[in-house]
Amino acid sequence: MSSYGDFSGYLEWVRRYDTRDEPAREAIRARAAALAVRPLFSLVLLETGGPSPDIEASLAALRAQLYPEWELWVAPQLAADEARVRGIAAASCGCMASLFEAGLDAAQGMFVLPLLAGAVLAEHALCVLAEAIAEDPEVDILYGDEDRLDAGGNRCLPWFKTAWDPELALGRDAVGLPVAYRTRFLRQIGDTGERDAGGEALLYALSLRAGFATPPTRIRHLPMILCHRRQAAWDAEAARAIVRRHLAERWEGAQVVPAPLAPQWSRVIRPLPSPTPLVSILVPTRDRADLLRRAAEAVLTRTDYPAFELMVIDNASREPEACVLLRALAADKRVRVLAAPGPFNFSALCNRAAREARGEILLLLNNDIDVIGRDWLEELVSHAVRPEVGAVGARLLYPDGRLQHGGMVLGPGSVTNHQFRFASRHDPGPQGECALTRRVSAVTGACLAVRRAVYFEVGGMNETDFVVAFSDVDFCLRIGDYGYRIVWTPFAELIHFESATRGYDDTPEKRAVSEKEQRAYRTIWGAVLDRDPYYNPNLEQGWERLALAAPPRRPRGALSQMFGDHTND
């Protein structure tokens, strides 16, 4: 379990930002009645046994919904004497998969929702889904956030999710409950084939099959707590078997193994192409022989990847020790030293080297880096060669072992934070996010792998507006605009002696450059920075902790009005 993050005040947060009074309920009912399109939701209860308190809790929550257009399909023995709770007249209801398929066939609604016994939908959940469908009529999948119920029925352990993340979804369930699938879409893609799956495993298999069968633009995450349930039982081996079957159709030779820091979840190891592509490792440097010596030694003697060239971009080194080191490195056939005199411009140095690089893969690498495991470059390349991936970042640690870089989070203004900064090296992070491969909006240029073709397709680094800072974030955002994914992997692990070469912005000249680049960053990317899809708006944005946002950063609009004016205080 992760110790990173402080959710101790969750019940008070719920009281302030996720509680509705009777006037708010009446307003929600009125909104529901005024919708131009009022979709019918077909829920299917994944329970093959008899009545139980958990089932009754789920039914009671359905009956309390503020949105009235729903029907519930259940195993015949659970059918109730009310029109909206219907028994599935099917002979093959002995397992949850066949039960769900029978319910899907019988469903009359526009969207179908699998439901586990004991899962309690928030009273406004179906109304939130209906409004989202009205706003986005082409959506195929919608899902919301959830939390747990303790032994006393109190809400705890919020699970704040992100936009659909196909990388994370291969490591663990990234969708959970509630989830609504367009009925027609789910019928078209066929069943999961998971005849022996329990409830949690079936939900996982459904989310994988459906999530990879429709464009991400037709999958919508609703960042609101819409479901409450007790801690779920997770069958790690069953989940890995589901992922193996899923990948067998898409990526020959991929291995699925326990994630080292979170063995209940999974790591996918993809094979490298044969022959292995040449990697050009681009290291800008000036003086500081101590740093460059360590970085070069790490690449040249502690890296197992067989095909690379080390390109040292010398930005006018003057110190005698550095000059001696550069000459020694140049004598190694695997190394090229490029003379690049003139004022420091990180973007220009990278562009210069990229034009002269011979490799199919470019790896931007700071000179203040040291490697930990010998397979770090193999891991980065295994993602960088994937056609859907644009850039890949590594797990970077401070010298004392704490996490320095777990992906970058966009923030309001010109703020960009390193996610999970200062987490313990052995902490898996909340929901395993420090331990699993994930999609992010940006990764740091201190260690960034990208195909050479993608580098030049998006125009390389912006050497006009971003001389020192923001060049890596700007680069990643442009890659994202071209439709590629930005991936962060914890399985390429390095040490980063942050800002050891250039130092921090602690002089008037450096601060002036930093402020100019911040203005350019904000001008270019504008509102994109205010909503990072891979960071939940219910979480605080900051450098050094994970905490509840007070208030949450919900957009001003239809959905946020369900919670009252105090959510936007």
mmCIF file of all heavy atoms in Angstrom, residues 95-111:
data_model
loop_
_atom_site.group_PDB
_atom_site.id
_atom_site.type_symbol
_atom_site.label_atom_id
_atom_site.label_comp_id
_atom_site.label_asym_id
_atom_site.label_seq_id
_atom_site.Cartn_x
_atom_site.Cartn_y
_atom_site.Cartn_z
ATOM 1 N N CYS A 95 -22.695 -18.706 -15.123
ATOM 2 C CA CYS A 95 -21.487 -17.933 -14.842
ATOM 3 C C CYS A 95 -21.766 -16.476 -15.126
ATOM 4 O O CYS A 95 -22.725 -16.133 -15.815
ATOM 5 C CB CYS A 95 -20.309 -18.439 -15.677
ATOM 6 S SG CYS A 95 -20.451 -18.097 -17.443
ATOM 7 N N MET A 96 -20.920 -15.626 -14.583
ATOM 8 C CA MET A 96 -21.167 -14.189 -14.722
ATOM 9 C C MET A 96 -21.071 -13.730 -16.170
ATOM 10 O O MET A 96 -21.809 -12.845 -16.607
ATOM 11 C CB MET A 96 -20.198 -13.408 -13.837
ATOM 12 C CG MET A 96 -20.490 -13.565 -12.361
ATOM 13 S SD MET A 96 -19.499 -12.460 -11.344
ATOM 14 C CE MET A 96 -20.056 -12.941 -9.702
ATOM 15 N N ALA A 97 -20.133 -14.308 -16.939
ATOM 16 C CA ALA A 97 -19.985 -13.894 -18.337
ATOM 17 C C ALA A 97 -21.245 -14.197 -19.133
ATOM 18 O O ALA A 97 -21.751 -13.347 -19.879
ATOM 19 C CB ALA A 97 -18.778 -14.579 -18.965
ATOM 20 N N SER A 98 -21.788 -15.408 -18.981
ATOM 21 C CA SER A 98 -22.996 -15.744 -19.726
ATOM 22 C C SER A 98 -24.186 -14.939 -19.226
ATOM 23 O O SER A 98 -25.078 -14.566 -20.002
ATOM 24 C CB SER A 98 -23.279 -17.235 -19.644
ATOM 25 O OG SER A 98 -23.440 -17.649 -18.304
ATOM 26 N N LEU A 99 -24.217 -14.654 -17.929
ATOM 27 C CA LEU A 99 -25.265 -13.809 -17.382
ATOM 28 C C LEU A 99 -25.225 -12.423 -18.008
ATOM 29 O O LEU A 99 -26.257 -11.869 -18.420
ATOM 30 C CB LEU A 99 -25.123 -13.709 -15.866
ATOM 31 C CG LEU A 99 -26.151 -12.832 -15.128
ATOM 32 C CD1 LEU A 99 -27.538 -13.428 -15.246
ATOM 33 C CD2 LEU A 99 -25.760 -12.684 -13.661
ATOM 34 N N PHE A 100 -24.022 -11.866 -18.095
ATOM 35 C CA PHE A 100 -23.916 -10.530 -18.682
ATOM 36 C C PHE A 100 -24.296 -10.548 -20.160
ATOM 37 O O PHE A 100 -24.977 -9.641 -20.642
ATOM 38 C CB PHE A 100 -22.504 -9.973 -18.510
ATOM 39 C CG PHE A 100 -22.354 -8.578 -19.055
ATOM 40 C CD1 PHE A 100 -22.906 -7.502 -18.385
ATOM 41 C CD2 PHE A 100 -21.712 -8.347 -20.255
ATOM 42 C CE1 PHE A 100 -22.805 -6.213 -18.883
ATOM 43 C CE2 PHE A 100 -21.603 -7.065 -20.766
ATOM 44 C CZ PHE A 100 -22.151 -5.989 -20.077
ATOM 45 N N GLU A 101 -23.859 -11.559 -20.881
ATOM 46 C CA GLU A 101 -24.194 -11.632 -22.308
ATOM 47 C C GLU A 101 -25.702 -11.742 -22.511
ATOM 48 O O GLU A 101 -26.261 -11.100 -23.411
ATOM 49 C CB GLU A 101 -23.483 -12.817 -22.951
ATOM 50 C CG GLU A 101 -21.983 -12.623 -23.071
ATOM 51 C CD GLU A 101 -21.244 -13.936 -23.233
ATOM 52 O OE1 GLU A 101 -21.883 -14.927 -23.641
ATOM 53 O OE2 GLU A 101 -20.038 -13.967 -22.948
ATOM 54 N N ALA A 102 -26.371 -12.532 -21.663
ATOM 55 C CA ALA A 102 -27.821 -12.636 -21.761
ATOM 56 C C ALA A 102 -28.482 -11.292 -21.445
ATOM 57 O O ALA A 102 -29.448 -10.879 -22.102
ATOM 58 C CB ALA A 102 -28.330 -13.721 -20.812
ATOM 59 N N GLY A 103 -27.941 -10.593 -20.434
ATOM 60 C CA GLY A 103 -28.473 -9.276 -20.112
ATOM 61 C C GLY A 103 -28.244 -8.284 -21.222
ATOM 62 O O GLY A 103 -29.110 -7.436 -21.512
ATOM 63 N N LEU A 104 -27.074 -8.367 -21.864
ATOM 64 C CA LEU A 104 -26.775 -7.472 -22.980
ATOM 65 C C LEU A 104 -27.730 -7.724 -24.135
ATOM 66 O O LEU A 104 -28.202 -6.779 -24.785
ATOM 67 C CB LEU A 104 -25.324 -7.678 -23.424
ATOM 68 C CG LEU A 104 -24.829 -6.871 -24.619
ATOM 69 C CD1 LEU A 104 -24.909 -5.373 -24.341
ATOM 70 C CD2 LEU A 104 -23.393 -7.265 -24.969
ATOM 71 N N ASP A 105 -28.038 -8.982 -24.403
ATOM 72 C CA ASP A 105 -28.988 -9.294 -25.479
ATOM 73 C C ASP A 105 -30.374 -8.766 -25.174
ATOM 74 O O ASP A 105 -31.113 -8.314 -26.070
ATOM 75 C CB ASP A 105 -29.048 -10.803 -25.673
ATOM 76 C CG ASP A 105 -27.819 -11.337 -26.350
ATOM 77 O OD1 ASP A 105 -27.084 -10.558 -26.966
ATOM 78 O OD2 ASP A 105 -27.561 -12.553 -26.243
ATOM 79 N N ALA A 106 -30.744 -8.846 -23.881
ATOM 80 C CA ALA A 106 -32.093 -8.430 -23.495
ATOM 81 C C ALA A 106 -32.227 -6.920 -23.324
ATOM 82 O O ALA A 106 -33.335 -6.376 -23.394
ATOM 83 C CB ALA A 106 -32.483 -9.133 -22.201
ATOM 84 N N ALA A 107 -31.123 -6.237 -23.117
ATOM 85 C CA ALA A 107 -31.157 -4.811 -22.770
ATOM 86 C C ALA A 107 -31.906 -3.993 -23.804
ATOM 87 O O ALA A 107 -31.717 -4.157 -25.012
ATOM 88 C CB ALA A 107 -29.737 -4.297 -22.611
ATOM 89 N N GLN A 108 -32.726 -3.095 -23.322
ATOM 90 C CA GLN A 108 -33.476 -2.198 -24.199
ATOM 91 C C GLN A 108 -32.904 -0.778 -24.187
ATOM 92 O O GLN A 108 -33.325 0.072 -24.971
ATOM 93 C CB GLN A 108 -34.944 -2.165 -23.769
ATOM 94 C CG GLN A 108 -35.622 -3.525 -23.831
ATOM 95 C CD GLN A 108 -37.052 -3.485 -23.328
ATOM 96 O OE1 GLN A 108 -37.713 -2.439 -23.382
ATOM 97 N NE2 GLN A 108 -37.547 -4.609 -22.816
ATOM 98 N N GLY A 109 -31.945 -0.526 -23.307
ATOM 99 C CA GLY A 109 -31.413 0.818 -23.163
ATOM 100 C C GLY A 109 -30.341 1.170 -24.169
ATOM 101 O O GLY A 109 -29.734 0.291 -24.808
ATOM 102 N N MET A 110 -30.071 2.472 -24.291
ATOM 103 C CA MET A 110 -29.008 2.957 -25.168
ATOM 104 C C MET A 110 -27.641 2.575 -24.630
ATOM 105 O O MET A 110 -26.710 2.310 -25.393
ATOM 106 C CB MET A 110 -29.106 4.485 -25.294
ATOM 107 C CG MET A 110 -28.072 5.104 -26.223
ATOM 108 S SD MET A 110 -28.135 6.919 -26.211
ATOM 109 C CE MET A 110 -29.766 7.210 -26.884
ATOM 110 N N PHE A 111 -27.504 2.523 -23.294
ATOM 111 C CA PHE A 111 -26.249 2.161 -22.644
ATOM 112 C C PHE A 111 -26.507 1.044 -21.645
ATOM 113 O O PHE A 111 -27.562 0.993 -21.009
ATOM 114 C CB PHE A 111 -25.616 3.364 -21.940
ATOM 115 C CG PHE A 111 -24.904 4.290 -22.877
ATOM 116 C CD1 PHE A 111 -25.603 5.189 -23.655
ATOM 117 C CD2 PHE A 111 -23.513 4.254 -22.991
ATOM 118 C CE1 PHE A 111 -24.941 6.041 -24.533
ATOM 119 C CE2 PHE A 111 -22.845 5.093 -23.853
ATOM 120 C CZ PHE A 111 -23.559 5.986 -24.645
#
